[in-house]
């Protein structure tokens, strides 16, 4: 009976790829914790980029990516220069002078380039939000799959523990039978009795 139960346990552990002292469960739980941490982080990043994207729909100049963009900073400085030049020409020559009209074209060109750069930044925020959405979806699926893997692994460990308990019980039964066999064998070999000859009988 012990040999049969040991074989059942061994076959199950071999088939399931686990042993009684297996550390896979701890590893899988650590992996789940790591995935959960990554999911929380990407959710925060997605919410942040989504918030900045919505903010860009109403007030583009208040977005940090626009305020701190070196291209826009450079273009704004250039715009200030051409606008100052335009004001000077308007004061000296009037708004109908060809030089004024030329400077007006320069101002419009710089403003258009600033607007294009703003649109590019807003679009990049939208792309970032979409990427974060995909990453969040993938991580959510990975977390759920990891949870299922841990549940299955726990089930396998529980089943292995039941088989292990059967082996322990069979071992105890074998030990008890072996002890009783040894005791019976010893009692069968003893020659001592509680009888003694008091007087030998004499035939009449």
């Amino acid at each position: 009976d012990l040999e049969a139960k040991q074989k059942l346990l061994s076959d199950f552990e071999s088939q399931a790829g686990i042993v009684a002292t297996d550390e896979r469960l701890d590893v899988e739980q650590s992996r789940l914790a790591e995935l959960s941490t990554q999911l929380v982080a990407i959710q925060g990043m997605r919410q942040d980029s989504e918030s900045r994207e919505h903010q860009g729909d109403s007030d583009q100049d208040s977005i940090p990516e626009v305020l701190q963009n070196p291209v826009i900073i450079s273009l704004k400085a250039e715009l200030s220069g051409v606008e100052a030049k335009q004001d000077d020409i308007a004061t000296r020559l009037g708004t109908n002078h060809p030089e004024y009209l030329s400077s007006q074209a320069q101002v419009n060109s710089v403003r258009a380039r600033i607007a294009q750069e703003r649109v590019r930044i807003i679009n990049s925020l939208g792309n970032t939000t979409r990427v974060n959405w995909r990453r969040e979806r993938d991580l959510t699926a990975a977390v759920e799959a990891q949870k299922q893997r841990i549940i299955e692994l726990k089930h396998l460990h529980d089943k292995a523990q039941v088989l292990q308990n059967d082996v322990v019980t069979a071992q105890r039964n074998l030990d008890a039978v072996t002890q009783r066999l040894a005791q019976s064998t010893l009692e069968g070999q003893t020659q001592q009795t509680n009888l003694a000859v008091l007087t030998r009988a004499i035939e009449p």
Side-chain angles (χ1 to χ4, degrees):
D1 184 51
L2 174 61
E3 289 175 353
K5 286 181 169 55
Q6 285 177 331
K7 187 176 187 306
L8 281 176
L9 176 61
S10 178
D11 291 345
F12 176 77
E13 289 176 343
S14 177
Q15 180 182 359
I18 63 172
V19 292
T21 58
D22 196 5
E23 296 179 355
R24 274 180 55 195
L25 187 58
D26 292 338
V27 173
E28 297 296 345
Q29 287 176 334
S30 297
R31 175 62 177 160
L32 176 61
E34 179 184 347
L35 287 172
S36 299
T37 300
Q38 292 178 9
L39 178 59
V40 171
I42 196 64
Q43 285 174 337
M45 292 171 61
R46 188 262 305 164
Q47 291 171 354
D48 183 58
S49 62
E50 203 172 40
S51 174
R52 293 202 305 275
E53 183 183 5
H54 292 326
Q55 183 181 357
D57 294 336
S58 57
D59 187 8
Q60 295 179 347
D61 287 330
S62 65
I63 302 174
E65 285 80 0
V66 172
L67 290 173
Q68 300 170 4
N69 184 271
V71 175
I72 289 184
I73 292 174
S74 174
L75 288 173
K76 284 184 175 180
E78 183 179 346
L79 178 63
S80 297
V82 294
E83 285 178 338
K85 180 181 177 182
Q86 184 186 38
D87 291 341
D88 179 62
I89 293 174
T91 302
R92 291 186 299 104
L93 305 176
T95 58
N96 294 324
H97 196 277
E99 286 190 26
Y100 179 87
L101 298 178
S102 174
S103 66
Q104 182 64 48
Q106 288 181 339
V107 169
N108 292 339
S109 174
V110 174
R111 286 176 178 170
R113 289 160 60 192
I114 291 174
Q116 290 175 353
E117 188 64 21
R118 285 198 192 103
V119 170
R120 187 193 66 78
I121 292 173
I122 298 303
N123 289 338
S124 70
L125 287 175
N127 293 334
T128 300
T129 299
R130 285 187 288 275
V131 169
N132 288 338
W133 266 115
R134 286 195 297 270
R135 291 177 61 192
E136 181 179 348
R137 185 179 63 247
D138 293 343
L139 277 171
T140 300
V143 167
E144 292 304 318
Q146 187 68 16
K147 287 180 180 178
Q148 188 61 35
R149 189 177 298 114
I150 289 176
I151 290 173
E152 293 173 357
L153 193 56
K154 284 183 176 179
H155 175 70
L156 292 175
H157 273 272
D158 291 343
K159 190 171 181 180
Q161 188 61 49
V162 171
L163 294 174
Q164 180 68 36
N165 291 340
D166 290 343
V167 170
V168 171
T169 301
Q171 181 67 56
R172 289 174 181 167
N173 292 340
L174 176 62
D175 292 342
V177 170
T178 302
Q179 184 179 2
R180 180 59 184 158
L181 176 62
Q183 182 179 353
S184 298
T185 302
L186 183 61
E187 290 176 351
Q189 292 177 350
T190 183
Q191 301 297 322
Q192 294 181 358
T193 68
N194 59 352
L195 303 178
V197 178
L198 299 180
T199 304
R200 286 190 175 276
I202 301 172
E203 296 180 1

